Amino acid sequence: MQRRAFLGSPLLAPALFARLGEAISNLDLISTHEHLFSEEERYASQPDFFVLADHYALNDLVSAGLPAGDLVPLRDRRLPAVQRWRLFEPWWRHARFTGYGQALRIAVRDIYGISDVNAGNIERLNAAIAAANRPGLYRDILKRRMKLRYGVLDDYWRGEPVRPDPEYFRLARKFDWFCTPANPAALKRMEEVTSVSITSLDGLVRALERRFQQSLDAGLTAVKSTIAYQRELLFADPSKHEASAAFDALARGGNTSRRQLEDYMFRQVLRLTEAHNLPFQIHTGIQAGNANVIANTRPLLVANLLRDYPRVRFDLFHAGWPWPNEVMAMAKMFPNAYADFCWTHILSPASARQALDEMIGAVPSNKILGFGGDYRHVELTCAHSVIARDNIARVLAARVEAKEMTEDEALALARAFLHDNPASLFEPAPRA
Ligand SMILES: [Zn+2]
């Protein structure tokens, strides 16, 4: 009962919470998942407040009722900021307290010193964002404020694999598009980027292998999949003959089911992931955006893959929200399953706390990955890390107060979640 009261109003033991929170806020961080631009891309892109809001807060404004037709003027940089604010504000009012809204407010407050954006200060805020948008911003935010060792980067907007700046990043790449070709033109595109002729299923597999090698050459650290944005996460184990038949129909331009081809190719990606001893980062749980099939993303749908590929370490993203219990069950049962709280602290801060608290009591602590920012802009990733550290501190302080662990043990857990566990996942000792 005592702990519940503590979580409800976090300051039953303010000295303990302050001490632990301070210690946790100083821990080095490895982010399991980012979409951050390279520094050059960032400075060239010249974001303003509305660009920051576009990832992901605007999703909640749309959900609140912001008309689709208002998105165009809202994103139109030629219009005065105050005019765009008038479209934004009526819906922002309803989205300020969501995790996305909190992250945006913390970013604007901590980095730009504005505690409450409004029509009177929006121009000043945009001027401050523009003034800070120059070399030094990444070092200041990612290193000095956020204490980031590195983030695992999914630069999905980039066609070709490119080695990212090792000061900040490690490379994750997706191969989903080799699993879900929709038409002969998609095969043609794969031929262009790999220089491999694709006239059969074997050709498609060879092209995938070539793409995998190109990504390894650029420093591939993790394989990533967001295939749950396109289809259900249940993968059968079709024969090569069945997959070939589906390929041939596709290559002829037929409109038959491609499911067996997709399932077969997804397993080819897992085969390569295993061969190169890389972690496999898979999106589970709700998708970003405002109109997708949430039921496709249920974490338990991938449980058969955990059995079929026991040597592949599955990094189960987003704690499977809104089904963190499914990720918890898999991380408890399978040695090769990890529960990853990337994105989770802003999807629902309270759910993240609840899930972390439950997992501490159910899952070995080396299976829990505490943070991934999942943003394009450094201000927001930094703000997300503030929420994540606060969440972790609140959960652990309650356990210390309940005398389930010492303060030192709590701090060691926080260090494992935020640094040591991702380090051992992404920097494994060579396999015997
Ligand atoms: Zn992401």
Side-chain angles (χ1 to χ4, degrees), residues 188-259:
K188 187 104 198 109
R189 174 84 189 112
M190 291 172 206
E191 289 183 328
E192 284 163 15
V193 301
T194 61
S195 307
V196 172
S197 159
I198 306 176
T199 56
S200 66
L201 179 63
D202 283 335
L204 180 58
V205 172
R206 276 196 302 275
L208 167 67
E209 288 168 345
R210 178 79 198 105
R211 193 60 169 176
F212 209 91
Q213 187 58 50
Q214 290 168 337
S215 304
L216 288 166
D217 293 344
L220 189 68
T221 292
V223 176
K224 168 89 192 290
S225 173
T226 50
I227 205 164
Y229 278 77
Q230 290 153 271
R231 54 157 280 173
E232 184 189 46
L233 281 178
L234 182 64
F235 295 91
D237 193 7
S239 68
K240 187 174 176 189
H241 179 76
E242 291 166 324
S244 280
F247 175 90
D248 293 342
L250 167 74
R252 285 194 304 269
N255 203 16
T256 50
S257 168
R258 297 184 292 272
R259 182 87 175 205

Side-chain angles (χ1 to χ4, degrees), residues 51-314:
V51 170
L52 299 185
D54 212 334
H55 199 211
Y56 299 88
L58 203 51
N59 290 167
D60 282 348
L61 273 70
V62 169
S63 170
L66 184 136
D70 284 358
L71 285 171
V72 174
L74 193 55
R75 289 174 169 142
D76 188 344
R77 303 287 294 263
R78 295 164 305 180
L79 297 176
V82 172
Q83 187 178 332
R84 296 160 73 197
W85 176 259
R86 272 190 225 111
L87 301 173
F88 187 84
E89 195 280 332
W91 311 104
W92 171 238
R93 211 181 294 164
H94 303 299
R96 295 174 69 234
F97 299 109
T98 69
Y100 297 165
Q102 284 183 43
L104 183 58
R105 285 190 295 129
I106 290 170
V108 164
R109 182 197 69 195
D110 287 4
I111 315 280
Y112 299 112
I114 289 179
S115 57
D116 186 30
V117 196
N118 55 51
N121 60 27
I122 182 71
E123 308 237 20
R124 182 157 59 86
L125 172 58
N126 280 346
I129 296 171
N133 195 43
R134 55 187 161 77
L137 181 74
Y138 270 38
R139 179 152 300 280
D140 178 52
I141 292 185
L142 296 179
K143 294 295 183 190
R144 187 180 69 79
R145 291 177 188 265
M146 198 175 149
K147 299 171 183 67
L148 180 76
R149 258 193 68 212
Y150 60 82
V152 178
L153 181 70
D154 171 8
D155 53 354
Y156 59 85
W157 61 92
R158 207 186 300 284
E160 293 303 298
V162 173
R163 185 177 293 273
D165 183 349
E167 180 71 6
Y168 301 111
F169 302 119
R170 301 292 181 275
L171 184 66
R173 292 289 290 180
K174 298 197 286 195
F175 301 92
D176 293 335
W177 66 294
F178 283 85
C179 303
T180 56
N183 49 46
L187 299 174
K188 187 104 198 109
R189 174 84 189 112
M190 291 172 206
E191 289 183 328
E192 284 163 15
V193 301
T194 61
S195 307
V196 172
S197 159
I198 306 176
T199 56
S200 66
L201 179 63
D202 283 335
L204 180 58
V205 172
R206 276 196 302 275
L208 167 67
E209 288 168 345
R210 178 79 198 105
R211 193 60 169 176
F212 209 91
Q213 187 58 50
Q214 290 168 337
S215 304
L216 288 166
D217 293 344
L220 189 68
T221 292
V223 176
K224 168 89 192 290
S225 173
T226 50
I227 205 164
Y229 278 77
Q230 290 153 271
R231 54 157 280 173
E232 184 189 46
L233 281 178
L234 182 64
F235 295 91
D237 193 7
S239 68
K240 187 174 176 189
H241 179 76
E242 291 166 324
S244 280
F247 175 90
D248 293 342
L250 167 74
R252 285 194 304 269
N255 203 16
T256 50
S257 168
R258 297 184 292 272
R259 182 87 175 205
Q260 290 181 315
L261 176 62
E262 292 176 6
D263 291 358
Y264 184 87
M265 289 303 295
F266 199 75
R267 286 170 179 270
Q268 294 299 314
V269 174
L270 285 166
R271 174 180 64 79
L272 291 166
T273 304
E274 177 179 343
H276 293 279
N277 194 24
L278 295 171
F280 189 74
Q281 302 190 306
I282 182 163
H283 179 105
T284 70
I286 192 173
Q287 305 94 341
N290 291 98
N292 209 322
V293 185
I294 300 176
N296 277 349
T297 72
R298 280 199 86 128
L300 272 184
L301 293 171
V302 301
N304 62 327
L305 298 178
L306 300 177
R307 277 196 307 276
D308 291 352
Y309 298 88
R311 283 155 68 93
V312 173
R313 292 160 294 145
F314 285 83

Side-chain angles (χ1 to χ4, degrees), residues 8-64:
S9 59
L11 298 181
L12 266 189
L16 164 66
F17 179 71
R19 237 181 3 254
L20 198 56
E22 171 72 11
I24 289 173
S25 72
N26 281 313
L27 292 173
D28 279 351
L29 188 60
I30 293 175
S31 170
T32 63
H33 179 52
E34 296 293 349
H35 301 294
L36 294 170
F37 292 130
S38 72
E39 279 197 89
E40 297 71 28
E41 286 172 318
R42 158 68 198 229
Y43 303 138
S45 76
Q46 302 188 330
D48 62 10
F49 169 77
F50 298 102
V51 170
L52 299 185
D54 212 334
H55 199 211
Y56 299 88
L58 203 51
N59 290 167
D60 282 348
L61 273 70
V62 169
S63 170

